[in-house]
Amino acid sequence: MFRKLLPIVEHVVKGPVWDCQMCGQCVLHSTGMTCPMTCPKTLRNGPCGGVRTDGNCEVKPEMRCVWVKANHRAETMPLLPKSWREEVGHLRPPVNNQLKGDSSWLNLMNGKDRETPEGWEVSH
Ligand code: SF4
């Protein structure tokens, strides 16, 4: 019951405020409270090389580049902890699409969002 309800609650809370896409591994705190899953390329480390000279998206020219917004907000958003501001420059792992639809809150608590999925390990 709890596992079914939590994703619904999470989306009701985070959807309207941050346009949450329920990726199951939330990184809002390290991307200037800007959901990178709203980037058409769902980049976890942006921007891509295609940002337009006006700062808009190469894929959706009517939209501001999500990563331009994320970096700007990380610098300027009031009350953002210093450590969160700095994290926008850190390297994040790629999106694990197996977690899509999960509750990020739950995956944070059980550590699932930090697990390396099977097949991602590079054996030398
Ligand atoms: S321009 Fe920005 S929002 Fe558009 S695809 Fe590239 S990184 Fe994503």
Side-chain angles (χ1 to χ4, degrees):
M1 176 66 177
F2 175 71
R3 283 177 178 279
K4 283 211 170 85
L5 195 58
L6 202 54
I8 298 167
V9 173
E10 187 171 339
H11 199 221
V12 165
V13 172
K14 291 165 56 179
V17 183
W18 293 293
D19 197 9
C20 169
Q21 305 296 306
M22 294 303 289
C23 68
Q25 55 225 290
C26 190
V27 291
L28 277 175
H29 72 284
S30 72
T31 55
M33 302 309 286
T34 308
C35 176
M37 299 306 285
T38 56
C39 160
K41 299 178 183 176
T42 63
L43 298 177
R44 296 297 260 199
N45 300 287
C48 70
V51 184
R52 296 168 181 269
T53 50
D54 63 358
N56 283 10
C57 173
E58 78 162 339
V59 181
K60 292 183 179 176
E62 71 284 1
M63 178 183 90
R64 196 106 184 106
C65 166
V66 171
W67 283 95
V68 168
K69 270 200 290 191
N71 281 283
H72 177 69
R73 287 175 178 169
E75 278 173 29
T76 60
M77 188 177 274
L79 305 174
L80 209 62
K82 186 166 176 290
S83 58
W84 291 14
R85 289 189 198 284
E86 289 160 358
E87 280 188 29
V88 77
H90 293 184
L91 196 59
R92 281 158 290 274
V95 176
N96 175 2
N97 287 313
Q98 296 165 31
L99 303 180
K100 181 133 183 86
D102 283 3
S103 160
S104 291
W105 297 337
L106 196 59
N107 288 345
L108 180 66
M109 286 188 276
N110 62 25
K112 217 170 153 190
D113 64 346
R114 295 179 295 290
E115 289 171 8
T116 304
E118 224 178 294
W120 284 24
E121 295 277 4
V122 180
S123 52
H124 298 287

